[in-house]
Amino acid sequence: MSSPISIRLGQRARQRIAAEGVQAADIAIVPAAAGGPKGLILHGMDCWMFGEFFRNAPRQRRLVGASIGAWRMAASAFQDPVAAHKRLARLYASQRYPDKVTPAYVTRTCRALLDELLDGRGHEAVSHPEHHVSIITMRGIGALASTNGARWREMAGFLLAAAGNAVSRKRLASSMERVIFHNQRDDARWLRDDFDAFAGHFVGLSQENLRDALLASGSIPLVLEAVTNIAGAPDGAYWDGGLIDYHLHLPYQRDPGLVLYPHFSDYIVPGWLDKSMPWRRARDQALENMILVSPSAEFVARLPNAKLPDRKDFRVYGQNHEHRTRDWLHAIGESERMAEAFARWCERPDLKQAASF
């Protein structure tokens, strides 16, 4: 049977694994992409990493995510990460929306989801002694600095931003800033020095701003309302961190450790608006210490509808909530095969089975 996973290695990661094997203690950073329901396919990997792989290899690790990736990384920093991930998978797959839904309705639903996920234990996620969570959000500037809740103004601002991004990522930076809510034991130094055109703000993660930061990180424009008045953060309207950092193309090479990146894709694009631009896929030194693990084409072909869960499913399945939830839960169950395959590979890493970036 073909492998359920695809593995890609940066050159520094390949050399280190060739010399030392795959050691949990070498993993310094775990990124988690935006992508909505696609992130559900990484449930098995999340449970294995934080329930088994890292359990006997204590060290400070940076868990950095945007949108559903931020929600996954917050779950990973609970005292019982496996229970938190199971709760997240159940809550996310069970979302239900009427035919005609407003951003206010979706926002209320997601707030309630996060309340149940955090379950009054947000302090665990913000103060984990080893696993330091960073949540990436986007703060609007220029035309997006304040839409005052006007849908037409919000749409116009994002159309202007998309037009700029079509020219260059640098143009997009005139509409958006990156705001990172980070564990206060970690000053996020590796992200503070400039590495792209986007201005950055850094805010200490706390119980007071955790839920709002998580909600903002997943607030898709025109689907959810912008989040405002986040404790400790600059004033403004906050949206989905994936708009700037969809696949998290960050300066990982600055860390001497390795990056273990469970991802739903076998490539990395910087921002959500770059999805249809293959020439913007990352191929630089930022990937040199990365282990990228993603579902193989053969694995995906065996899932319901021969694809990963995605946001379009809400429209495709319509009001057949039971059918969609059943198929998503099936995909979540299948994700355990990815974790099992990668665990076997880590025990006896065959570098011939791993492609290079």
Side-chain angles (χ1 to χ4, degrees):
M1 185 179 296
S2 60
S3 175
I5 58 173
S6 170
I7 301 173
R8 288 186 178 272
L9 301 175
Q11 187 59 34
R12 177 148 58 100
R14 183 179 293 275
Q15 292 171 352
R16 191 153 176 176
I17 293 171
E20 305 174 10
V22 180
Q23 306 293 329
D26 289 340
I27 307 302
I29 301 175
V30 180
K38 293 184 181 73
L40 297 174
I41 207 60
L42 304 170
H43 172 76
M45 286 289 297
D46 290 337
C47 290
W48 171 76
M49 281 192 302
F50 294 98
E52 298 181 35
F53 189 52
F54 295 145
R55 187 171 53 194
N56 297 318
R59 63 159 292 168
Q60 291 188 354
R61 290 188 180 87
R62 293 175 167 126
L63 316 183
V64 55
S67 194
I68 192 175
W71 298 13
R72 289 171 46 222
M73 292 301 95
S76 300
F78 274 80
Q79 290 180 8
D80 187 344
V82 174
H85 276 292
K86 289 182 177 179
R87 191 161 65 250
L88 173 58
R90 173 181 58 81
L91 291 168
Y92 201 100
S94 300
Q95 291 178 85
R96 296 189 175 195
Y97 297 100
D99 270 335
K100 294 182 179 180
V101 64
T102 64
Y105 186 100
V106 180
T107 299
R108 288 196 302 272
T109 301
C110 289
R111 280 190 184 276
L113 187 160
L114 288 170
D115 284 341
E116 194 167 349
L117 171 65
L118 297 175
D119 193 28
R121 292 176 289 185
H123 63 280
E124 297 177 14
V126 304
S127 60
H128 196 288
E130 297 163 7
H131 293 158
H132 296 168
V133 175
S134 289
I135 299 169
I136 299 179
T137 66
M138 183 280 282
R139 176 176 177 258
I141 57 176
L144 291 174
S146 176
T147 62
N148 295 321
R151 190 175 177 87
W152 67 267
R153 189 173 295 168
E154 185 176 321
M155 183 177 294
F158 280 107
L159 286 173
L160 181 63
N165 186 74
V167 177
S168 71
R169 287 265 292 169
K170 188 174 182 179
R171 292 280 187 92
L172 185 65
S174 64
S175 298
M176 303 177 181
E177 293 180 336
R178 180 186 286 118
V179 181
I180 298 176
F181 295 81
H182 60 93
N183 184 298
Q184 297 188 51
R185 289 187 174 90
D186 175 17
D187 65 2
R189 177 61 56 191
W190 69 293
L191 295 172
R192 288 180 182 265
D193 292 338
D194 292 346
F195 61 91
D196 61 14
F198 294 90
H201 301 276
F202 295 83
V203 180
L205 193 58
S206 67
Q207 293 187 64
E208 289 72 31
N209 61 28
L210 173 62
R211 187 188 67 167
D212 281 347
L214 289 170
L215 181 62
S217 189
S219 290
I220 304 166
L222 305 174
V223 177
L224 282 83
E225 297 174 322
V227 179
T228 58
N229 301 316
I230 303 179
D235 290 340
Y238 287 74
W239 279 283
D240 196 320
L243 288 162
I244 296 176
D245 296 299
Y246 183 47
H247 289 180
L248 280 71
H249 181 209
L250 303 174
Y252 303 110
Q253 78 280 7
R254 293 176 177 173
D255 196 296
L258 297 183
V259 178
L260 177 52
Y261 191 174
H263 191 17
F264 51 77
S265 173
D266 65 353
Y267 59 86
I268 294 172
V269 294
W272 187 82
L273 293 167
D274 302 317
K275 291 190 300 180
S276 61
M277 303 178 187
W279 58 90
R280 290 196 183 170
R281 293 181 183 180
R283 299 178 178 88
D284 61 357
Q285 63 179 352
L287 313 184
E288 66 182 21
N289 56 337
M290 182 177 290
I291 306 167
L292 184 77
V293 187
S294 59
S296 67
E298 294 79 8
F299 172 83
V300 173
R302 295 179 58 186
L303 296 177
N305 306 310
K307 70 174 189 62
L308 300 178
D310 63 47
R311 195 159 57 88
K312 294 178 182 177
D313 289 343
F314 286 113
R315 174 173 48 80
V316 172
Y317 286 85
Q319 294 302 292
N320 195 344
H321 303 298
E322 292 80 7
H323 191 179
R324 176 185 53 76
T325 300
R326 183 196 68 194
D327 286 350
W328 282 11
L329 291 175
H330 178 82
I332 290 168
E334 287 293 294
S335 73
E336 295 179 6
R337 294 201 297 117
M338 292 178 58
E340 291 166 357
F342 186 63
R344 289 194 300 269
W345 188 85
C346 287
E347 291 174 359
R348 301 183 62 181
D350 183 352
L351 297 179
K352 293 180 181 178
Q353 294 179 358
S356 298
F357 284 108

